[in-house]
Every structure is written in structure tokens, then in C-alpha cells.
């Protein structure tokens, strides 16, 4: 008989525990549409997010970070691995339980216009899911309150998405997520489509909402400077794998992986007094996730690549307290 898993909600237990997650998309070819190959979009990703914590997931376009976000909501059926939300494996629960979990995990998308139904007014866009799931007759009051929290006015309830600017539309998307009282919010490139000045406003808003409501946060972005402002810890992804994970401070001040070093070097620094660092220049494009390079996947672009990097895949090790890296420059040499 299957043992019913207990939900874990203690403050020292992770809200989200992702274990060796893999998402390989089949590529079909020929008349019979046989599987000819796979896109190794996510290839063995593990991380945890604690209550109230913000994890930044960063990497270049095509590294698999957005696919991770979608698998966490079970929008894709993963190839392998587990995603535990408060201890419950979301791939092993029944449909009713999955729906309950989905209410508590909300997502904010990059393009607020595409994710908002243009024929619905703001009050339905923000309040519909809440009304259906709670049956609350006073649901419009809840909409009014969350709109105020994101800096919109009660009169905005009667308007349609096209009547708002990009920044305001993203605020509607945030209000919609907030209306469900989530325990985890996934923001997928949530500010990438906005002007830089608006980006700062929305990031500050997300930060203050997180403080007030205490939800956990997975902040997915290609932009390290954006993540630096909001994350407690940062995980860097390259070609479907996490290559480095550390606290925000450690990662930005003492990156251990040459890829992280190169990403940070590419971020323009206006502030004076920052410790001068040697610069690693990132050359070439990200290789195809259909045929990822052997050994360390970064070896084709790494200025520090050694012979064995081409054949031996580095494993993730804790090189410093709570600072994890997968690179042969750190830890035992192969065959030691
Ligand atoms: Fe560079 Fe080798 Fe480290 Fe990969 S394992 S990042 S190729 S030094």
C-alpha cells in the first residue's frame, strides 16, 4: 500500500526541493515521426528554496532556466527527477492535490500582455481564480486590496489590459499572483520586457511584497544585475545544468566558475569602490542542447579549459561553506 506523504511546513524545511530534475524534449524526424534525438533542456538540476527565501536562477538564453520554471508547475511532464513542494512530490499526487498545490505556486510571466486575456476586465483577470477556488462572495474586495498593494487604484478594476502601460500590466500580473496568497512565486523574466526605469520600480515592488507577505521566490532572469538586487542566493545555469550556487554576496564577490566570472564581468558597473577584478571574456555562442559538448559542457568557451575538461564531467562540490561549484579547477582532479 502506498504511504501517504506528509506535508512539511516547518521554517527549517524547504518550501521547494528539486532533485535531479531532467527535461529532455524528443526531436522527431521522417514520415513516421520517429524520435531522432533529444533536446537536453534540463539535465539533472537540484536546488532548494527555504521559506521566505529568494533564489535567482540565471543564465543565457537557451540554458533551460525557463523550462525549469514550467516543469515546477507541471506544465511539462519531466523525463526524470522529483519536485517536492512542502515535502510532497508534485509528480506523484492526484489531480485534486495538484490543483491545490498550483494555487499556492503562482507564476509571473515575461510578457504581461500575452498572459492577460484582452477581453477580460482587470477585476476578472485578478479575481477569477480566487473567486472560483475560494467561493468568497466578497471576492471584489480582495481584488481591490491586492490592486492597492501593487500600486493600482480601485477604478482600474473596470478597465481592460490594453488601457495600461507595460509596467502597469506587469503590476496586474503580480496582483493576479498575489490574490491567491501564494507560498511560492516563480517570476520568469518578469521585468525583461520593461524599460530600465520601470524594471527598478517593479523589482522594488516585488521585494517589498515579499517582505510583507513572506512568500518564497524563484526569480528567473538572464540579467545578473537584476538578480543581484533581489536574490538571497543565486544558481547559475549553463546548457541544462547548474554550474554554481551560492549566496548572492559570495557569488558576485568571489565567483568560482569561469562561466559565472564571465557573466559578472559582462555586467556594467557604475558604482565606484567595487573591488577591481580580472575580466573573463565570454566568447562564442551557447552550443546546441541537442548535442551538448562532452566532459564539462562549458569547455568549448572556457579560457581555463584543460585537457581532461573535454572528457570528464565535473561534479558539484561544496568548495566553500554553502558555495557550490561544478568545475575541475575546484575539488579533486579526476582519477585522484
Ligand atoms: Fe573550464 Fe574545465 Fe572548469 Fe569546465 S571544468 S569550467 S572547462 S576549467
Amino acid at each position: 500500500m502506498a504511504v501517504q506523504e506528509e506535508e512539511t511546513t516547518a521554517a527549517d524545511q524547504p518550501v521547494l526541493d528539486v532533485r535531479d530534475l531532467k527535461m529532455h524534449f524528443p526531436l522527431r524526424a521522417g514520415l513516421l515521426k520517429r524520435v531522432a534525438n533529444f533536446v537536453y533542456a534540463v539535465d539533472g538540476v537540484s536546488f532548494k528554496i527555504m521559506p521566505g527565501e529568494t533564489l535567482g536562477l540565471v543564465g543565457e538564453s537557451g540554458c533551460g532556466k525557463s523550462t525549469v520554471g514550467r516543469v515546477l508547475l507541471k506544465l511539462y511532464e519531466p523525463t526524470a527527477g522529483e519536485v517536492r513542494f512542502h515535502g510532497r512530490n508534485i509528480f506523484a499526487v492526484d489531480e485534486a492535490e495538484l490543483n491545490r498545490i498550483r494555487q499556492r505556486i503562482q507564476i509571473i510571466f515575461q510578457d504581461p500582455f500575452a498572459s492577460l486575456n484582452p477581453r477580460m476586465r482587470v477585476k476578472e483577470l485578478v479575481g477569477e481564480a480566487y473567486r472560483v477556488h475560494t467561493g468568497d462572495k466578497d471576492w471584489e474586495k480582495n481584488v481591490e486590496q491586492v490592486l492597492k498593494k501593487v500600486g493600482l487604484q480601485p477604478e482600474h478594476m473596470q478597465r481592460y489590459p490594453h488601457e495600461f502601460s507595460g509596467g502597469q500590466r506587469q503590476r496586474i500580473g503580480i496582483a493576479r499572483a498575489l490574490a491567491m496568497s501564494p507560498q511560492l512565486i516563480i517570476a520568469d523574466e518578469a521585468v525583461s520586457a520593461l524599460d530600465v526605469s520601470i524594471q527598478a520600480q517593479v523589482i522594488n515592488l516585488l521585494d517589498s511584497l515579499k517582505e510583507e507577505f513572506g512568500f518564497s521566490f524563484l526569480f528567473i532572469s538572464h540579467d545578473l544585475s537584476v538578480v543581484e538586487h533581489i536574490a538571497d542566493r543565486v544558481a547559475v545555469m549553463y546548457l541544462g545544468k547548474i554550474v554554481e550556487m551560492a549566496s548572492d554576496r559570495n557569488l558576485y564577490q568571489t565567483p568560482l566558475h569561469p562561466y559565472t566570472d564571465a557573466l559578472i564581468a559582462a555586467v556594467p558597473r557604475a558604482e565606484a569602490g567595487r573591488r577591481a577584478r580580472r575580466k573573463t571574456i565570454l566568447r562564442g555562442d551557447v552550443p546546441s542542447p541537442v548535442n551538448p559538448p562532452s566532459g564539462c559542457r562549458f569547455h568549448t568557451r572556457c579560457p581555463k579549459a584543460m585537457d581532461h575538461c573535454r572528457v570528464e564531467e565535473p561534479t558539484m562540490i561544496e568548495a566553500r561553506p554553502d558555495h557550490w561549484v561544478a568545475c575541475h579547477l575546484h575539488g579533486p582532479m579526476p582519477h585522484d
Side-chain angles (χ1 to χ4, degrees), residues 123-184:
K123 76 170 180 182
E124 287 104 23
L125 285 166
V126 173
E128 185 72 358
Y130 171 82
R131 184 182 65 77
V132 170
H133 288 296
T134 63
D136 183 356
K137 290 193 170 40
D138 241 359
W139 64 277
E140 290 191 32
K141 200 92 204 131
N142 183 55
V143 174
E144 211 176 301
Q145 281 167 356
V146 290
L147 286 181
K148 270 192 209 155
K149 292 286 179 196
V150 300
L152 295 172
Q153 306 306 319
E155 56 266 30
H156 288 143
M157 288 172 67
Q158 306 304 331
R159 298 199 195 157
Y160 292 89
H162 73 268
E163 298 178 65
F164 295 89
S165 67
Q168 285 175 318
R169 284 200 290 263
Q170 198 53 296
R171 285 171 193 265
I172 296 168
I174 296 167
R176 184 171 58 175
L178 210 57
M180 300 303 291
S181 302
Q183 290 165 335
L184 173 69

Side-chain angles (χ1 to χ4, degrees), residues 55-57 65-66 68-69 186-190 218-222 227:
L55 178 73
L57 189 60
K65 57 193 188 303
S66 290
V68 170
I186 300 167
D188 185 9
E189 298 281 10
L218 177 63
F219 195 89
I220 300 170
S221 176
H222 69 281
V227 170

Side-chain angles (χ1 to χ4, degrees), residues 302-323:
C302 180
K304 296 180 178 167
M306 302 164 276
D307 285 348
H308 60 268
C309 297
R310 294 175 183 86
V311 284
E312 300 264 359
E313 185 174 351
T315 50
M316 190 67 114
I317 58 145
E318 192 174 17
R320 295 179 184 164
D322 212 20
H323 192 151

Side-chain angles (χ1 to χ4, degrees), residues 3-309:
V3 177
Q4 186 73 28
E5 288 174 334
E6 289 289 323
E7 222 185 71
T8 54
T9 53
D12 61 349
Q13 295 298 315
V15 172
L16 191 74
D17 186 355
V18 177
R19 301 177 185 181
D20 204 17
L21 189 66
K22 295 182 181 170
M23 185 69 238
H24 301 165
F25 294 104
L27 286 177
R28 296 179 188 277
L31 278 176
L32 296 175
K33 298 280 177 212
R34 289 215 170 94
V35 175
N37 213 331
F38 289 91
V39 177
Y40 297 94
V42 178
D43 205 15
V45 160
S46 302
F47 60 85
K48 291 177 183 175
I49 305 182
M50 301 304 287
E53 184 184 41
T54 298
L55 178 73
L57 189 60
V58 299
E60 290 165 286
S61 170
C63 71
K65 57 193 188 303
S66 290
T67 304
V68 170
R70 280 162 172 72
V71 178
L72 299 184
L73 288 165
K74 213 182 168 188
L75 299 180
Y76 300 136
E77 197 68 44
T79 310
E82 284 186 4
V83 172
R84 291 182 172 269
F85 181 73
H86 286 299
R88 307 287 303 273
N89 182 1
I90 69 164
F91 304 126
V93 297
D94 62 21
E95 204 58 31
E97 180 64 18
L98 181 64
N99 282 335
R100 278 193 289 275
I101 290 174
R102 279 190 174 139
Q103 289 165 41
R104 297 191 283 162
I105 306 177
Q106 292 291 306
I107 187 162
I108 304 167
F109 293 100
Q110 173 177 4
D111 183 349
F113 201 58
S115 64
L116 299 175
N117 185 335
R119 285 184 290 276
M120 287 171 89
R121 287 174 298 178
V122 167
K123 76 170 180 182
E124 287 104 23
L125 285 166
V126 173
E128 185 72 358
Y130 171 82
R131 184 182 65 77
V132 170
H133 288 296
T134 63
D136 183 356
K137 290 193 170 40
D138 241 359
W139 64 277
E140 290 191 32
K141 200 92 204 131
N142 183 55
V143 174
E144 211 176 301
Q145 281 167 356
V146 290
L147 286 181
K148 270 192 209 155
K149 292 286 179 196
V150 300
L152 295 172
Q153 306 306 319
E155 56 266 30
H156 288 143
M157 288 172 67
Q158 306 304 331
R159 298 199 195 157
Y160 292 89
H162 73 268
E163 298 178 65
F164 295 89
S165 67
Q168 285 175 318
R169 284 200 290 263
Q170 198 53 296
R171 285 171 193 265
I172 296 168
I174 296 167
R176 184 171 58 175
L178 210 57
M180 300 303 291
S181 302
Q183 290 165 335
L184 173 69
I185 290 185
I186 300 167
D188 185 9
E189 298 281 10
V191 298
S192 304
L194 306 176
D195 291 345
V196 174
S197 60
I198 309 293
Q199 277 189 3
Q201 291 172 16
V202 174
I203 289 169
N204 289 339
L205 172 67
L206 288 170
D207 215 13
S208 63
L209 290 172
K210 196 194 84 161
E211 284 301 312
E212 181 174 353
F213 293 97
F215 51 78
S216 302
F217 211 179
L218 177 63
F219 195 89
I220 300 170
S221 176
H222 69 281
D223 188 338
L224 265 90
S225 58
V226 166
V227 170
E228 187 177 11
H229 285 107
I230 198 160
D232 302 307
R233 274 189 313 131
V234 181
V236 179
M237 263 188 95
Y238 187 78
L239 266 186
K241 289 179 178 287
I242 291 178
V243 296
E244 185 164 4
M245 184 154 47
S247 71
D248 172 53
R249 186 187 167 86
N250 284 343
L251 191 106
Y252 284 88
Q253 293 196 348
T254 51
L256 299 179
H257 197 285
Y259 178 58
T260 313
D261 199 37
L263 288 181
I264 293 172
V267 173
R269 295 277 174 208
E271 310 100 286
R274 284 241 179 202
R275 195 156 60 87
R277 298 176 48 242
R278 73 219 175 291
K279 286 203 165 188
T280 303
I281 307 299
L282 201 50
R283 286 184 293 266
D285 295 325
V286 182
S288 166
V290 176
N291 290 304
S294 58
C296 169
R297 291 182 178 194
F298 188 55
H299 84 251
T300 54
R301 303 171 80 195
C302 180
K304 296 180 178 167
M306 302 164 276
D307 285 348
H308 60 268
C309 297

